Amino acid sequence: MSIANKGIPCVLSMMLASPLALAQEQINIVGSSTVYPFATVVAERFGKSTHFSVPKIESTGSGGGLKLFCSGVGGNTPDITNASRKIKSSEIELCKKNGVNDVIEIQIGYDGIAFANSTKSAQLDVTIKELYMALAKVLPNEKGDLVDNPYQTWQQINPDFPNVGIEVLGPPPTSGTRDAFVELVMEAGCDELPAMKALAKVDSKKHKAACQGLREDGAFVEAGENDNLIVQKLASNPNAFGIFGYSFLDQNRDKVQGAKINGVTPSFDAIGDGSYPVSRSLFFYIKKAHVGTVAGLHEYALAFTSEDAIGEEGYLTDRGLIPLSEADWKKVRQAAESLTPNL
């Protein structure tokens, strides 16, 4: 064998090796735009305080991230996905279908969904029912028939509201914030209308579609996964409202303010004690098959779940993360230490 051919067996063996046989030096993370700023802070500190590379993080939305995460196992798939809602049963099935059988769910804390506008405008005090009436694609008329949403201004919904057109900037369907808003606001507000309650008994599919559907006539505008962009647009448009995570409100109080919902202002304490009605849990999911192959994956999970990061006085609380109770944090920490699949 010539000198030039001596490396061929080695090259062939590398080409034939499974994707997991080759060590990966950088953690690949996708998912929620709400969890993104928290994960970024952890990743930067992780890179500075350890010998591991700074993880690569992309903001794809919770749904988009879980789709990528569940696409398979190997170097071309994410190691972790962030989510501002719990993984759905359909997503668990997608994971299993594609060979992603062992997944670890890690809860990091809580967040509220803010309905916010510019600080140059008056603060809105709105109910869940009124938000549904403003944003629903269809509403029941006097006969109980579903028609296109007739409301064009806020004052048409409540005479105490400003006489300005309804314009709300919100997340796309791939966003966990969108999923949570639909569940906690749209579905809850929908069932406060007697006609919609009656519809649920007659046609559950039609009821579900009507409760979950958001306007497509320009009153609701999909503004992408970049919540900072929504904040900027609200700052320049005093008549518009935006939907995004509490942490973005907390970091931009010089530009935007949160509306009261059912009489409760979004705040750290109100979200933590559950009195603010639009609150949700935040997670990240780890692919167990990548642990031991992707450098620093277990160590990153430990860094993110440390008391220094997500504890009551953790550095992420300064960024707007609402911490878990001490008892719940201990369970989360144990899950990160053992990395035992729990779905």
Side-chain angles (χ1 to χ4, degrees):
M1 180 183 293
S2 68
I3 294 176
N5 291 332
K6 284 185 178 179
I8 289 178
C10 180
V11 172
L12 286 173
S13 65
M14 290 178 67
M15 291 174 64
L16 294 172
S18 69
L20 291 177
L22 305 176
Q24 182 178 313
E25 294 300 323
Q26 187 180 36
I27 301 169
N28 182 13
I29 304 172
V30 294
S32 167
S33 62
T34 300
V35 179
Y36 176 81
F38 302 133
T40 299
V41 174
V42 174
E44 290 172 351
R45 288 181 174 236
F46 180 72
K48 290 178 181 178
S49 62
T50 71
H51 64 277
F52 299 109
S53 299
V54 177
K56 174 187 174 184
I57 308 177
E58 294 180 80
S59 178
T60 63
S62 297
L66 282 159
K67 185 177 181 180
L68 290 168
F69 180 83
C70 292
S71 65
V73 172
N76 294 323
T77 64
D79 311 303
I80 290 176
T81 189
N82 300 319
S84 56
R85 60 163 173 78
K86 198 172 181 69
I87 189 172
K88 298 176 182 178
S89 58
S90 59
E91 290 162 337
I92 294 175
E93 289 305 311
L94 177 63
C95 272
K96 291 179 179 178
K97 178 182 176 182
N98 292 323
V100 185
N101 296 310
D102 296 322
V103 176
I104 303 108
E105 178 182 83
I106 303 289
Q107 184 181 1
I108 62 168
Y110 303 100
D111 183 41
I113 299 176
F115 186 74
N117 65 343
S118 168
T119 52
K120 299 173 185 175
S121 303
Q123 183 188 38
L124 196 66
D125 190 345
V126 65
T127 66
I128 294 284
K129 177 183 175 180
E130 289 165 339
L131 282 175
Y132 173 73
M133 291 170 65
L135 295 175
K137 182 178 179 179
V138 294
L139 288 170
N141 61 15
E142 293 179 356
K143 297 179 181 179
D145 299 324
L146 294 179
V147 298
D148 290 340
N149 192 324
Y151 297 112
Q152 299 301 313
T153 71
W154 286 102
Q155 200 169 73
Q156 289 174 338
I157 293 173
N158 184 327
D160 293 331
F161 289 168
N163 188 25
V164 297
I166 297 171
E167 182 181 356
V168 178
L169 309 175
T174 53
S175 169
T177 298
R178 167 90 162 245
D179 289 338
F181 185 84
V182 166
E183 177 187 349
L184 299 171
V185 174
M186 300 300 289
E187 291 180 1
C190 179
D191 284 332
E192 289 190 32
L193 301 181
M196 298 309 294
K197 270 192 174 181
L199 178 62
K201 298 176 182 178
V202 178
D203 191 332
S204 59
K205 288 186 178 180
K206 191 174 182 180
H207 169 267
K208 181 179 180 180
C211 289
Q212 295 182 346
L214 287 162
R215 296 176 73 157
E216 298 174 354
D217 58 358
F220 177 80
V221 180
E222 290 183 7
E225 294 287 0
N226 188 341
D227 292 345
N228 280 316
L229 182 60
I230 298 180
V231 170
Q232 292 170 18
K233 289 185 176 180
L234 296 185
S236 62
N237 184 355
N239 292 330
F241 287 85
I243 299 168
F244 44 79
Y246 168 77
S247 60
F248 287 90
L249 170 66
D250 193 48
Q251 297 296 314
N252 293 280
R253 290 192 180 276
D254 58 325
K255 301 182 187 73
V256 291
Q257 61 188 341
K260 291 182 179 180
I261 298 181
N262 287 0
V264 183
T265 301
S267 69
F268 190 93
D269 291 336
I271 295 168
D273 64 22
S275 58
Y276 182 69
V278 196
S279 305
R280 41 54 186 293
S281 298
L282 303 180
F283 305 88
F284 67 86
Y285 293 88
I286 304 171
K287 197 172 291 180
K288 182 61 180 283
H290 288 196
V291 176
T293 299
V294 179
L297 189 54
H298 192 184
E299 289 81 359
Y300 173 82
L302 293 174
F304 207 145
T305 58
S306 68
E307 189 171 16
D308 185 45
I310 64 171
E312 189 174 345
E313 303 296 331
Y315 60 79
L316 291 182
T317 62
D318 293 334
R319 303 280 178 145
L321 181 71
I322 313 300
L324 301 165
S325 68
E326 185 175 357
D328 287 340
W329 169 76
K330 287 181 178 178
K331 293 177 184 177
V332 166
R333 183 62 177 177
Q334 185 176 14
E337 288 174 348
S338 67
L339 289 187
T340 302
N342 53 7
L343 291 179

